Amino acid sequence: MNQSPIPNQLNAANYLNLARDYFHQGNIPAALEICQNAIKFQPDFFPAYTALGHILQSQNQLLPALRAFAKAVEINPNLPEVFGQMGDICANLAQWETAINHYRQALILYPPAGSQESRESRLRVDLNLGKALVETNQWQEAANCFRQCLEIDPKMAVAWFNLGLVLEQQNQLDAAVDCYRKAVEIQPDLAAGCCNLARGLEAKGDLDAAVTLYHRSFQLQPDLIKSYFQQHVPPKVTCPQTEQNRYLSRQVCHSLAQLATSQTDIIYHPIHPLTTVGLYPPQTTGEIHQEFCLTQANFPSSFVAVLPEGRAWGDFATTAVMTTDNQLLAEVNSGHPALIFALDNLPPVTRFAGTVAFLSIIGGDTYYHWMMDILPRLELLRRCGMDWADIDYFIINQNNSQFQRESLAALGINQDKLLASYDYSYIQAERLVVPSIPATIPKAMAGFTEGVPPWVCQFLRDAFLPGNFRDVSPHERIYIRRNNAKYRRVLNEGEVMAVLSPLGFTAVSLESLSFGEQVALMAGSNVIVAPHGAGLTNVVFCQPHAKIIELFPVNFINNYYWLLSAQVGLEYYYCVGNSPQAWYSLYPQDWRHGKGYIPPRGEDILVDIDELLAVLRLADLR
């Protein structure tokens, strides 16, 4: 074991301090050994068992950690924080009744009026007890826990949010709406709170306010719409049809190709046929996650349609395209058009003479969707024989980011022709040109794979990869940081770099680089370790056989970058992290309970260092 010599004369407390030092340095084996030495030196020294439990819990060794904590409270049964940790472990193991008992014991032991630290700990236990009670359908007791949190801290948005969830389950809609409203007042950027408040207002019939809140919630957290609409679809309300350009009908067209055969004024240009690509499984240390069980990817055909007097809608939550006779074109929608149907009527349409290309999709101003959907839609225009110079306007979500301006400049797009759909949410054009959506397959396209088709990867490489990088021999090993991200932070990044640095890895922050610098960096890198996030979009520029190791939070796995890696011929590996609860116990300043509900895809990542080491060995990285 690589560690400093241990002094000959130490008491148990000195051992414990040394163990904590090693833990903070990322030397877990040394920290564990010294904890064991402290226990051998003084078997009834309960702080050593507590420290041992924290270290084991941080490494996801939950049952050994639980045994260490249990020994600590056997020696000293007056340790509320330890009972709280035992509750967290049992909750992580879905042992809800045992977790509830531990949380209750912790609350019994906490003094009614303690220090600020004790107050924060009690809040956390009350909150987690309430969540465990929800899991066992003990609604009233759960509500009491959340109310207890609010007695201690009336501005705890997450407690108002969870109380609203419980009251909604108890069919107390008015009270639930009041709780959601209070949560959003305290924390205006609480996306889930806005969404649930919208749902409650919709159920009460206040559709205009509901739609406004839906839009606000999806603006705050665009991916929320995907999980939300799997469970809930806003109702379609009856709308007068007297003004064709202000009201939507219920006509839905699922095939533009078929529509073009019956309506000769619609021009349909097929570009690529339906494509099927074989997939090879990723590599990891355990059982392959179900997200990676596909053996092939099926991508729909691509096309460009020209609609005379066509109309389009684009906002934070939805994009939709309609024909002049009011048919909704399912193939080129994104998000959920039902949000539009929830409006009594649409705002006045903005009409454009000439030719307008509608390119917006939900999330189209984020890096992944910009690269994999928006820019390829421009390429589809070119491939069907259209000259970009002949397009009067291009409608995109917005053009506020440097990567958008740099990539458009590299393609030679006249940026004076760009209009933001966030500014022009409802438009009609003399000739509306609409390319198919390459990667973010609309919900109507059942049976196809949501991911990047091969032609998109080749287009991006041809368009942006400098010629002198196409045959380069890559040599760099990089770790992509998310240090400026609001969500999905790597909590133990220091430990990760302590493993990677001796192997020749350099940590990089992509947001500090220009678009061209990012492309060049990826082209010259042969190994990339990165947490799940948009930075991995750039692996499209890697050389074949480069190695990608993706780091996931414990409760969220996504296959986007595996699919992308497969199209470019990369070796893909992944690691799933541990629960971050033990880390938050040691570093409570990193626990963001005051920030409200965090969905699984936004949870912080606590990298399992042992698993990372195993995957590095699997990838033959030394």
Side-chain angles (χ1 to χ4, degrees):
M1 182 173 57
N2 183 17
Q3 63 179 76
S4 301
I6 301 174
N8 291 327
Q9 298 299 321
L10 288 177
N11 60 30
N14 294 142
Y15 272 116
L16 187 58
N17 290 333
L18 189 59
R20 286 169 175 162
D21 288 341
Y22 277 125
F23 179 77
H24 294 317
Q25 294 167 15
N27 193 341
I28 303 302
L32 290 171
E33 181 178 338
I34 294 171
C35 278
Q36 296 288 2
N37 287 340
I39 290 168
K40 290 177 183 177
F41 187 90
Q42 187 176 336
D44 62 349
F45 188 55
F46 70 85
Y49 288 102
T50 301
L52 179 62
H54 282 305
I55 295 168
L56 291 168
Q57 190 179 8
S58 75
Q59 301 305 299
N60 208 35
Q61 298 183 45
L62 299 184
L63 292 177
L66 190 60
R67 288 193 290 268
F69 286 138
K71 186 64 177 177
V73 296
E74 179 185 326
I75 298 169
N76 181 356
N78 298 309
L79 301 173
E81 293 85 359
V82 176
F83 278 107
Q85 290 301 313
M86 294 170 71
D88 290 343
I89 292 176
C90 291
N92 192 272
L93 296 170
Q95 298 174 3
W96 299 113
E97 291 296 344
T98 307
I100 288 168
N101 290 335
H102 287 317
Y103 287 139
R104 284 174 172 160
Q105 185 62 30
L107 292 174
I108 290 170
L109 294 173
Y110 276 120
S115 64
Q116 178 66 23
E117 182 178 356
S118 173
R119 177 175 172 272
E120 289 290 324
S121 297
R122 184 184 181 96
L123 267 175
R124 186 179 66 82
V125 172
D126 263 319
L127 184 67
N128 288 344
L129 173 58
K131 291 178 179 179
L133 290 165
V134 166
E135 293 290 340
T136 56
N137 298 326
Q138 299 180 62
W139 305 114
Q140 190 55 52
E141 287 189 68
N144 292 340
C145 285
F146 300 134
R147 290 190 176 102
Q148 179 64 33
C149 290
L150 294 169
E151 285 185 19
I152 299 172
D153 183 1
K155 293 190 178 297
M156 191 177 184
V158 68
W160 284 110
F161 175 80
N162 279 281
L163 180 57
L165 291 175
V166 170
L167 294 172
E168 195 171 358
Q169 286 289 334
Q170 295 178 308
N171 296 317
Q172 299 181 45
L173 182 60
D174 289 343
V177 166
D178 290 341
C179 288
Y180 293 140
R181 182 176 282 114
K182 188 70 175 177
V184 170
E185 288 174 358
I186 295 168
Q187 186 185 331
D189 64 348
L190 181 56
C194 293
C195 194
N196 284 15
L197 178 56
R199 183 176 66 213
L201 292 173
E202 178 189 316
K204 290 165 64 71
D206 192 350
L207 295 181
D208 288 340
V211 169
T212 298
L213 280 161
Y214 279 134
H215 290 183
R216 177 175 162 190
S217 68
F218 302 141
Q219 176 186 357
L220 290 167
Q221 189 179 320
D223 62 281
L224 190 62
I225 191 170
K226 294 183 179 180
S227 59
Y228 176 71
F229 280 113
Q230 289 172 358
Q231 305 173 14
H232 175 79
V233 178
K236 298 178 180 181
V237 298
T238 302
C239 298
Q241 298 296 316
T242 54
E243 296 180 60
Q244 191 177 56
N245 67 343
R246 292 201 68 184
Y247 299 99
L248 295 182
S249 71
R250 301 295 173 266
Q251 292 179 285
V252 179
C253 167
H254 290 278
S255 173
L256 262 166
Q258 291 181 8
L259 185 65
T261 62
S262 60
Q263 296 191 17
T264 56
D265 57 342
I266 294 178
I267 301 172
Y268 181 87
H269 298 282
I271 310 294
H272 304 107
L274 184 150
T275 304
T276 297
V277 176
L279 298 171
Y280 51 87
Q283 300 187 61
T284 192
T285 56
E287 185 178 348
I288 300 294
H289 191 274
Q290 62 183 7
E291 274 286 308
F292 304 108
C293 289
L294 293 174
T295 57
Q296 64 180 33
N298 300 310
F299 301 105
S301 56
S302 57
F303 59 85
V304 173
V306 183
L307 312 174
E309 300 299 331
R311 288 175 290 125
W313 173 277
D315 62 12
F316 294 108
T318 300
T319 63
V321 177
M322 295 145 275
T323 63
T324 187
D325 61 349
N326 229 22
Q327 293 194 66
L328 184 69
L329 304 178
E331 288 175 290
V332 285
N333 290 327
S334 69
H336 207 287
L339 287 176
I340 304 175
F341 293 144
L343 291 169
D344 288 334
N345 59 274
L346 299 177
V349 68
T350 301
R351 193 179 188 284
F352 293 92
T355 302
V356 175
F358 185 77
L359 308 177
S360 292
I361 68 158
I362 183 173
D365 52 348
T366 61
Y367 192 71
Y368 175 85
H369 292 294
W370 176 261
M371 296 295 293
M372 301 304 168
D373 285 309
I374 303 296
L375 295 183
R377 297 184 90 182
L378 283 168
E379 173 65 4
L380 287 176
L381 299 179
R382 191 187 64 79
R383 292 191 182 190
C384 82
M386 292 186 181
D387 190 330
W388 291 333
D390 294 334
I391 305 291
D392 294 296
Y393 294 105
F394 299 93
I395 305 289
I396 61 175
N397 298 68
Q398 57 184 351
N399 186 31
N400 294 337
S401 299
Q402 186 64 25
F403 67 79
Q404 294 174 303
R405 293 188 287 272
E406 289 186 42
S407 55
L408 289 172
L411 292 175
I413 298 293
N414 182 351
Q415 299 191 39
D416 291 336
K417 293 185 174 184
L418 299 176
L419 296 177
S421 56
Y422 295 165
D423 297 327
Y424 298 90
S425 60
Y426 188 31
I427 68 156
Q428 184 172 31
E430 185 178 354
R431 293 177 74 244
L432 186 69
V433 181
V434 186
S436 56
I437 301 174
T440 308
I441 308 301
K443 292 180 175 63
M445 306 291 284
F448 291 105
T449 305
E450 184 172 356
V452 184
W455 72 264
V456 168
C457 298
Q458 193 58 53
F459 153 65
L460 292 172
R461 292 175 69 86
D462 290 343
F464 300 114
L465 198 59
N468 59 325
F469 276 107
R470 294 182 188 173
D471 300 314
V472 74
S473 177
H475 63 278
E476 295 289 340
R477 294 181 175 187
I478 63 171
Y479 166 76
I480 298 177
R481 306 185 66 192
R482 281 181 62 85
N483 50 314
N484 292 325
K486 294 181 179 178
Y487 300 103
R488 218 162 43 247
R489 303 168 300 169
V490 177
L491 295 173
N492 57 336
E493 192 170 85
E495 295 178 18
V496 172
M497 287 309 300
V499 169
L500 296 180
S501 293
L503 299 177
F505 282 82
T506 301
V508 297
S509 298
L510 294 182
E511 59 267 26
S512 67
L513 304 177
S514 70
F515 175 70
E517 288 170 336
Q518 292 185 41
V519 172
L521 176 67
M522 290 296 183
S525 298
N526 65 352
V527 187
I528 297 166
V529 177
H532 176 74
L536 281 168
T537 304
N538 287 320
V539 302
V540 71
F541 301 116
C542 289
Q543 301 301 312
H545 307 299
K547 297 178 180 181
I548 311 299
I549 301 176
E550 185 170 8
L551 309 176
F552 288 106
V554 65
N555 293 314
F556 178 77
I557 313 294
N558 181 282
N559 65 17
Y560 277 9
Y561 300 110
W562 168 58
L563 292 170
L564 178 57
S565 297
Q567 309 300 354
V568 189
L570 310 179
E571 295 182 27
Y572 178 89
Y573 304 78
Y574 74 93
C575 295
V576 180
N578 295 327
S579 168
Q581 292 304 318
W583 182 275
Y584 295 148
S585 298
L586 290 168
Y587 305 103
Q589 68 273 16
D590 287 340
W591 182 51
R592 295 169 300 162
H593 75 276
K595 296 294 184 183
Y597 172 75
I598 303 295
R601 73 176 299 142
E603 289 179 353
D604 290 331
I605 301 171
L606 183 64
V607 177
D608 186 325
I609 298 299
D610 288 338
E611 183 177 350
L612 176 60
L613 287 166
V615 170
L616 291 168
R617 289 192 295 269
L618 185 65
D620 196 27
L621 296 173
R622 307 184 189 283

